[in-house]
Amino acid sequence: MKRGAPMGSGPWPFFLLALGLSWLFWVPLAVLQVNVWGWPAVAFGALGLFGPALAETLLLARRSDPALWRDYRSRLFDPRRIRAPVWAVIALGFPLINAAALALYVSGGGSWPAFETARQLWAEPWRLLPYAAFMLLFGPLPEELGWRGYALDRLQRYRSALASSLILGAVWGLWHLPLFFLPGTYQHDRLGFLSAGFWSFLFGTLTASVLFTWIYNRANRSTLAAVLFHFSINFSGELFDLPQGAQLYRTALVALWTVAVVAFEGPRTLRGGAAWARFFGRGAFAPDLSFVLLSPLRRLVLPPERLAERLHLNEDARVLELGPGPGYFSVAVARRLPRGRLELLDLQPQMLERARRRLARAGLESRAGFTVGAADAPLPWGDGSFDVAFLVAVLGELNDPLACLREVRRVLKPGGLLSITEQPGDPDFVPAERVRELAARAGFAPCESYGSGRNFTLNFRSPA
């Protein structure tokens, strides 16, 4: 979000006020076990829905900052903040999720639902507009004026977008709690307190909150986008009216969607930028996406233990790893050095810290050193300091790979081993012939090769 956006007070007074106002109307009805659709219970139930909006109004009313009010009006009323791809996600995202969940449910032996609401609206189309207006007014509008319109900016001011989303999602789920005890509500009649549906609902508020933040940030902090996204979720849910089994599929699909958003957009902002570009582009891998480099699926390409075998390590060897990232291969190498030393050099301090924590969890931190620096700059070690040096999917990221290999030759002992591994899927992939050419120009002699195609390890020896 914009760090300079007008703020007002923090999120915590808002959370307390929003829950307090809503629960003030809902809790007495739940205690008395009054059906929410009777009179005057329906009025109390509706007023409770406006708790977040009332809380926001009370907090903003204390401020006379013109910039804050201009920003507020623009975020709520200006559709130009929302670009075409975001409009598409708002309009089609959850309808497609619901359709996919229903298709999976039916293909697994489930029955088609009756689509009663959709049939009624089809038979009496004049009811569609009032029905949509009712759904917008009692849910998406009053909630999003508070949740995304007020609280989210204040959370993101000092936290990542992902952390802010999870905090807001937890409060959002808690806000619904009295409805599980209130007859006539979806939460009471269809889910039930502490049922599987209850936990699925709370989990859903967390995953949906991440998607809301993604939409909000991608739409330049548009409250209108959040309101319409919420409306699309509720309206499509009413039209599809998924059976319980299909709802479980929907929960799983939304969770997968959320994971994909975090992976591709980056947890810090949930709006792409450097993290998105690095996932498909060239250069050093973004620390925000380091969990991708630790995926167990990488073992299908090259298990760390197999790479360690290719390095022919003695127990007392001194080893240099250039560009270790979060330490995917570092643990397997350090395990083979009970009396040796592994030095890790990486350009990004965040990556080195992740590697350090990974080695510490394995009880191997004492065998390793951590240095921030560029692999193609002068290395901070003396001549002949190492027995082995290795690089995995690093050579293509360097501005001057030849300078790197010449420095590696300097810090290796005579006859020391240089191991270079390249892997499929890396946008900075260097073909084997180019690796051999660079190594020869740096003064190395080839000695071994493993693998083929785009998944290989080439070993070289420095002059004796």
Side-chain angles (χ1 to χ4, degrees):
M1 64 160 285
K2 293 180 180 178
R3 295 292 177 184
M7 282 292 103
S9 59
W12 306 109
F14 165 77
F15 287 148
L16 292 174
L17 193 55
L19 267 65
L21 288 171
S22 293
W23 289 9
L24 178 66
F25 295 106
W26 289 343
V27 169
L29 300 180
V31 170
L32 295 173
Q33 287 293 284
V34 178
N35 190 291
V36 74
W37 294 107
W39 182 261
V42 67
F44 280 80
L47 287 171
L49 290 172
F50 282 80
L54 290 171
E56 176 209 35
T57 302
L58 290 172
L59 292 172
L60 288 179
R62 301 180 307 155
R63 301 182 59 84
S64 58
D65 182 358
L68 185 147
W69 286 103
R70 282 195 302 270
D71 178 72
Y72 177 84
R73 288 192 297 270
S74 175
R75 291 189 297 116
L76 182 57
F77 296 113
D78 189 355
R80 293 171 299 179
R81 287 176 173 263
I82 311 172
R83 297 188 175 185
V86 180
W87 279 114
V89 173
I90 290 171
L92 300 176
F94 264 85
L96 290 176
I97 287 285
N98 287 328
L102 185 57
L104 289 170
Y105 173 71
V106 172
S107 66
S111 302
W112 287 98
F115 297 115
E116 292 182 6
T117 301
R119 289 176 182 274
Q120 291 172 5
L121 292 175
W122 181 263
E124 300 175 300
W126 62 268
R127 295 179 52 201
L128 180 61
L129 188 58
Y131 183 76
F134 175 84
M135 292 203 65
L136 178 67
L137 183 60
F138 294 96
L141 183 60
E143 287 191 49
E144 295 311 320
L145 288 176
W147 302 134
R148 260 55 65 168
Y150 187 91
L152 183 55
D153 274 358
R154 288 153 179 82
L155 285 168
Q156 289 191 98
R157 192 162 180 81
Y158 301 108
R159 299 169 183 83
S160 71
L162 178 59
S164 300
S165 303
L166 296 177
I167 293 170
L168 184 52
V171 175
W172 190 21
L174 179 64
W175 177 76
H176 287 88
L177 187 60
L179 300 181
F180 286 90
F181 302 93
L182 182 53
T185 64
Y186 168 80
Q187 289 80 4
H188 177 275
D189 296 352
R190 294 281 297 275
L191 299 180
F193 184 61
L194 296 182
S195 66
F198 170 82
W199 297 113
S200 177
F201 181 88
L202 294 185
F203 177 72
T205 61
L206 295 176
T207 55
S209 184
V210 175
L211 296 178
F212 270 98
T213 300
W214 172 52
I215 291 289
Y216 178 83
N217 288 353
R218 274 288 183 181
N220 193 24
R221 303 172 49 248
S222 172
T223 308
L224 176 62
V227 171
L228 295 177
F229 189 52
H230 197 151
F231 171 77
S232 178
I233 294 173
N234 288 7
F235 191 69
S236 64
E238 287 292 326
L239 292 182
F240 277 90
D241 192 24
L242 298 180
Q244 188 66 37
Q247 290 179 24
L248 295 177
Y249 281 114
R250 179 175 62 186
T251 299
L253 290 173
V254 172
L256 290 174
W257 185 12
T258 303
V259 169
V261 165
V262 174
F264 291 121
E265 296 282 43
R268 189 175 67 85
T269 64
L270 290 180
R271 59 177 301 171
W276 173 273
R278 178 59 195 101
F279 200 87
F280 294 106
R282 298 175 61 84
F285 206 92
D288 281 347
L289 296 176
S290 62
F291 63 90
V292 175
L293 299 178
L294 298 174
S295 168
L297 295 176
R298 289 193 72 185
R299 296 186 64 86
L300 299 176
V301 178
L302 178 62
E305 298 79 10
R306 185 175 301 166
L307 176 69
E309 291 173 1
R310 296 175 179 179
L311 301 180
H312 308 297
L313 299 170
N314 295 323
E315 291 187 351
D316 60 351
R318 287 183 55 83
V319 180
L320 173 62
E321 181 179 5
L322 297 176
Y328 180 74
F329 294 100
S330 308
V331 171
V333 172
R335 283 201 175 105
R336 294 173 176 255
L337 305 173
R339 294 181 290 111
R341 182 77 172 173
L342 172 64
E343 293 288 346
L344 286 71
L345 181 138
D346 201 286
L347 185 63
Q348 303 181 90
Q350 305 98 316
M351 285 294 201
L352 278 178
E353 176 58 22
R354 286 166 170 76
R356 186 198 64 76
R357 290 200 299 263
R358 184 170 167 81
L359 285 160
R361 286 194 296 270
L364 301 169
E365 185 180 4
S366 62
R367 301 183 187 181
F370 307 89
T371 302
V372 176
D376 51 1
L379 298 176
W381 294 282
D383 296 357
S385 297
F386 296 99
D387 301 289
V388 175
F390 72 100
L391 306 83
V392 179
V394 169
L395 200 62
E397 298 178 1
L398 304 177
N399 293 323
D400 192 345
L402 182 57
C404 168
L405 297 186
R406 284 172 172 162
E407 271 296 285
V408 170
R409 177 187 168 187
R410 180 184 65 80
V411 300
L412 277 176
K413 296 176 180 178
L417 179 72
L418 166 65
S419 182
I420 300 175
T421 296
E422 293 292 326
Q423 299 190 308
D426 182 4
D428 302 300
F429 176 84
V430 181
E433 286 307 310
R434 175 61 174 163
V435 173
R436 292 188 180 98
E437 175 195 342
L438 289 169
R441 291 174 62 188
F444 287 95
C447 61
E448 294 170 314
S449 65
Y450 303 90
S452 61
R454 298 181 67 86
N455 184 18
F456 63 81
T457 298
L458 299 179
N459 287 351
F460 304 88
R461 291 283 178 184
S462 62

